[in-house]
Amino acid sequence: MATLEQTGSPDDGHLGDGHRRRDFINIAAVSFAGVGAAAVVIPLVNQMNPSADVLALASIEVDISAIKAGQAIKTSWRKQPVFIRNLTPKEIAEANAVPVSTLRDPQTLQERTKEGKQNWLITLGVCTHLGCVPLGAGEGEAKGDFGGYFCPCHGSHYDTAARIRKGPAPLNLHVPDYAFKSDTVVQIG
Amino acid sequence: MLRLFGPLIAPIVGLGFIAALVLAILTTSWEAEPPTAAHHFHLAPKPLHLASDGPLGKFDRQQLQRGFQVYKEVCSACHSARLVAFRDLQEIGFTNPEVKAIAKNWATEVPSVNPETGEPATRKALASDYIPSPYANETAARAANNNALPPDLSLITKARHGGAAYVHSLLTGYQNPPAELLEKFPDAKPSGTLHYNPYFANLNIAMPPPLAADGQVTYADGTKATIDQMAQDVSAFLVWTAEPKLENRHRTGIAVLIFLLIATTLAYMSYQNIWADRKH
Amino acid sequence: MSFPWAQHYAPKHPVTQWLDERLPLPRLVYNAVGAGYPVPRNLNYFWNFGVLAGAALGIQIITGIILAMHYAANGAIAFDSVESIMRDVNSGWLLRYAHANGASFFFIVVYLHIFRGLYYGSYKAPREMVWLLGVVIFLLMMATAFMGYVLPWGQMSFWGAQVITGFFSAIPVVGDPIRIWLLGGFAPDNAALNRFFSLHYLLPFVIAGVIILHIWSLHIPGSNNPTGVDVKGPQDTVPFHPYYTAKDGFGLGVFLIAFSTLLFFAPNLLGHPDNYIPANPLSTPAHIVPEWYFLPFYAILKAFTFNFLWIPAKLWGVMAMFGSILLLFFLPWIDSSPVRSTNYRPLYRWFFWMLVADVLALGYLGQAEPSTFVVFASQVCAAYYFAHFLIILPIVSRIERPLPLPNSITESVLHGEKAEAAPFGTQTA
């Protein structure tokens, strides 16, 4: 309010309660405008979140009847690769033989699959290190030192339960939400 | 140069334009333009009142569902609504399983690819699909409709003057050409495949009357399906397809205006306060 | 910058002092729109529209950058991407309607800003450069608005692009090659859509740059005022902040109320239904009209129907339409009267209001369906437009005897009470 001191009329306004009430109105007006400006920011930020058509594609159904034991397929969910793998009894045994306490991200195969469907290992095909797609799902691809997946970007090795065993990745391959609609159809998401 | 522009060049340029205009005026032919049939017999849409009208308007979801039923059972045989996804129907009160069932049972399937052979194929629609067009492409649509193209209906109430009232009037406006019209403009008689409708821009529309009889659809909520009722319901539905965020817009608008009125009042008081000791 | 009694920026806090010695940006703002800019004390509400135009540009740039995150400049999907913004993007309908109506409000406030400049003679010496830069901004705005209207790729977008690029085909010999070069094809298509998108994104920043020059050149002589009388001393001015920031804050509130009313309750009022029909190169809408803010110029274009002096009517129309704007560049020299404010110009005042009525009439005629009478009326109105600037104004400014001017702004304020711009003798105190 320094500018008010320059006025030609050195009358009221600067003294006593009148002065305080007047300042209050200015502060209230500016604060109110500030609240409005902050409220406007919300839609401007929120618009970058996934739009309704993107969210609508958040669940898919996959027919797994053609995947034989020992085989895996890659499919796409939310524009990310998903590995669906039919484990052989040998692979299951290998996974169960590992002492959980020695793992970087301790989880049993049981925790990573559905009850009674332990041979179906469904994970995101996104390396937990920096997001490359690991090898091992396709026919003839390198499966890494532990027979599961191998990420060629920075050398992370995953075992037959897709758990991190060696290399820089911090976590096991992520298991998405999924449910068996029937013996041959699984819904992911 | 600039000093010259004012006194000399400006009037010369101005006179050039003005001379061209004056000559145009002088050579104007004032013969009356021949009247056209559309000019005399075209009607403005009848007023239509919907729950969504006005600044506080909201959709009547029951009516939208009836309108959707009319679209599904009548209009969708020829008209697409390609910007509307089945999932959107949840906004007018259908549940998620209902939407899935509607999509699955839709008369037209969605274009797809046979996963084994790669041949073009179709599959049942999913909730995330958009309402499929009844025709594969524009050529097919024209071939099936005497070379007339049934327009997509998603935006029709925003794409026509008069909006929903126009749709309602058009659907209920079919009639025989008035004798006076045929007397004055013998050429205006609808040819074989056209139908007289005074609400249509050139009076003759290719679409046959889609709502032909009361009870053409059977409403689940027991509303009597008169032609006028069906036309109103489908018009209301098409307001929603064109502007699905209408309620959101009205609600936000009221809140914003209340905020702005308070903010502006405060700003005015602050302005008066700051200028209080200034004569201006 | 301008007056010796302007307050000086004197930062007290060590941090602001440190900054001031290295990058005196706060000082620049202080002197431009802060307490360091003395402004005549008698400005009326018409002086709010400059700030409001700046606010409108801000709204357009912010909403525009966001819309560009969701829009796809390809003829096959442009229309659908706009509809996806309207339906699926979070708050997309709000952003898109704000941008579409924001363009209209930008023009509303700029037209009122131009009206104020014309009425109070703000284009006259020593503010010619302010005016010239303003006309440049106006031209850039028109180009930006036109290209933006093409982007939704509806019927009006497409045929607007077709018709407006068609202006260039009126130029003898090189016209058609220029048009094809502009479009990157023989009709508007992907090439045109993509380059319009690129330029539509670029030009607002050019506008912002020219606005900085516009304000810079304004700060040399300082703001004009309703009396048009020069500032004589400190008693004639108040510091921009807080006096005019407070007044502009109130003006901004009123502007936003009007803007929000349209945006939330009639967002398509100023649009055209045909633009909700996807572009169809095989079928022209029955009645094509440009957006409302181009209507007066469109009416001038259509008024020329006579081949005169071996120049075809089409070329006359295009020349007249561009000429009607370009002549504004010469206005400071066409009007030779030393009196700025029309309040003190009794004869010119009549012609000024005639011009306002004429432009409004041209706006109406621009959208009217062409009939013999409409064409006749547009010819008369277009003729008056040119007569006003190029014949009447030079003559009136020479023969007119202006009313006596007040000796100073302060004298006018003290004399005229609330009616700050009242000429002596015409209003009672």
Side-chain angles (χ1 to χ4, degrees), chain B residues 11-45:
Chain B
I12 292 171
V13 174
L15 282 172
F17 285 131
I18 292 161
L21 287 165
V22 168
L23 286 169
I25 292 170
L26 293 179
T27 53
T28 300
S29 142
W30 283 93
E31 276 168 44
E33 287 146 63
T36 62
H39 187 76
H40 283 275
F41 289 88
H42 180 257
L43 297 177

Side-chain angles (χ1 to χ4, degrees), chain B residues 33 241 243 249 275 279, chain C residues 41 87 97 243 264 372:
Chain B
E33 287 146 63
T241 61
E243 185 84 356
R249 171 157 67 74
W275 281 82
K279 201 168 185 166
Chain C
R41 61 193 286 188
R87 289 155 193 268
Y97 276 152
Y243 288 93
F264 289 105
T372 313

Side-chain angles (χ1 to χ4, degrees), chain C residues 351-369:
Chain C
F351 293 106
F352 177 83
W353 287 112
M354 287 264 290
L355 176 74
V356 173
D358 184 62
V359 171
L360 293 176
L362 282 170
Y364 171 78
L365 295 165
Q367 56 82 50
E369 305 226 12

Side-chain angles (χ1 to χ4, degrees), chain B residues 4 6 10 34 52 59 80 96 102 118 123 128 134 163 166 181 190 192 194 204 223 231 245 255 257:
Chain B
L4 271 181
S52 54
F59 290 121
S80 57
N96 192 19
I102 289 168
R123 61 166 171 81
S128 57
Y166 168 78
L181 170 83
L194 298 180
N204 292 316
T223 306
K245 305 292 182 204
L257 276 189

